[in-house]
Amino acid sequence: MLTLSSLHKRYGSKTVLHAIECRVEAGQCFWLVGRNGAGKTTLINILADLIAPDSGSLSFGGLSYDKDELAIKRNLGVLPDKNPAIPQLTGREYLQFIGLLHELPPDECSRRAQSLLEYFFDETEDAHKRIGTYSHGMTKKIGLCAALLHRPQYLILDEPFAGLDPVSAAKLVRFLQSYLSPERCIFLSSHDLGYAQKIMTHIGILEGGVLQFVGSAEEFASTKDTLEESILQILQPKESNIQELNWLLQ
């Protein structure tokens, strides 16, 4: 279980996150939705221990970063917004490096890396090219492979569909649907409603640094509005007046 309790984060005089409360049970995919600059990446970075909250607590199955950092990270897979893949390494070399960090036996690491590369990459020869030559989508794929190599119990993904072509995005959807299990949970931040709604079991809508809604997909879809309409009612209750752009549209 992943538990966030009264998390706060400020940058200078600006409050980015205020009293964030949610819980993601095993077997659930929590989809975090919000506008650009809403604080989604800040929250992801707190979950990944890249930055610290100003106050509040974070628990992975009862473990905290203060006392159990290594135990948590052994079971944590993260795809951050800014992919940390090393551009001087080839894709395969990078996965071998990640395998060493997780103390995987070399043969097992190679077996897992090969199966991940065969699934996510159209051409496995790309694994022998330097990551610095990869397209945005290919870099995203190698980041996904690295996040999954050690079979994490907790999977945290920041915009995993950004840069992926439709075939690769569909593959990722099928994979994540299969990866959810009674022992695993996924925390997903994504602007891609079409893909994210095929995976999520729960949703949190972040606006003004506050989670304006937290609940199951069924609870959120209790109205006759479409998912997009329901989200926009929270994020943008007042419609923009396109007539103000008549000078451009005429």
Side-chain angles (χ1 to χ4, degrees), residues 153-172:
Q153 181 182 2
Y154 302 95
L155 187 58
I156 299 174
L157 306 174
D158 194 359
E159 295 295 342
F161 301 105
L164 296 185
D165 60 68
V167 173
S168 298
K171 282 185 179 181
L172 179 56

Side-chain angles (χ1 to χ4, degrees), residues 96-108:
Q96 290 171 343
F97 169 70
I98 296 299
L100 287 173
L101 292 180
H102 287 287
E103 300 179 335
L104 292 177
D107 289 347
E108 177 65 12

Side-chain angles (χ1 to χ4, degrees), residues 53-177:
D54 294 327
S55 60
S57 64
L58 176 63
S59 169
F60 292 83
L63 303 180
S64 68
Y65 278 127
D66 289 340
K67 299 179 181 178
D68 312 289
E69 179 182 355
L70 288 179
I72 292 173
K73 291 183 177 179
R74 287 191 182 101
N75 288 305
L76 181 66
V78 181
L79 179 69
D81 180 46
K82 296 182 179 178
N83 198 321
I86 302 170
Q88 292 83 4
L89 299 182
T90 67
R92 187 173 292 278
E93 287 171 344
Y94 181 60
L95 294 184
Q96 290 171 343
F97 169 70
I98 296 299
L100 287 173
L101 292 180
H102 287 287
E103 300 179 335
L104 292 177
D107 289 347
E108 177 65 12
C109 179
S110 295
R111 184 185 70 81
R112 294 184 185 187
Q114 183 63 27
S115 62
L116 285 165
L117 291 166
E118 288 179 355
Y119 183 80
F120 285 109
F121 280 77
D122 297 325
E123 302 291 340
T124 54
E125 290 81 4
D126 291 332
H128 300 287
K129 298 177 182 176
R130 295 191 186 280
I131 293 173
T133 68
Y134 282 8
S135 67
H136 179 50
M138 289 169 61
T139 305
K140 181 63 63 71
K141 291 177 187 179
I142 203 67
L144 283 165
C145 292
L148 295 165
L149 189 66
H150 58 296
R151 292 192 302 191
Q153 181 182 2
Y154 302 95
L155 187 58
I156 299 174
L157 306 174
D158 194 359
E159 295 295 342
F161 301 105
L164 296 185
D165 60 68
V167 173
S168 298
K171 282 185 179 181
L172 179 56
V173 167
R174 289 196 300 271
F175 172 81
L176 294 177
Q177 288 171 335

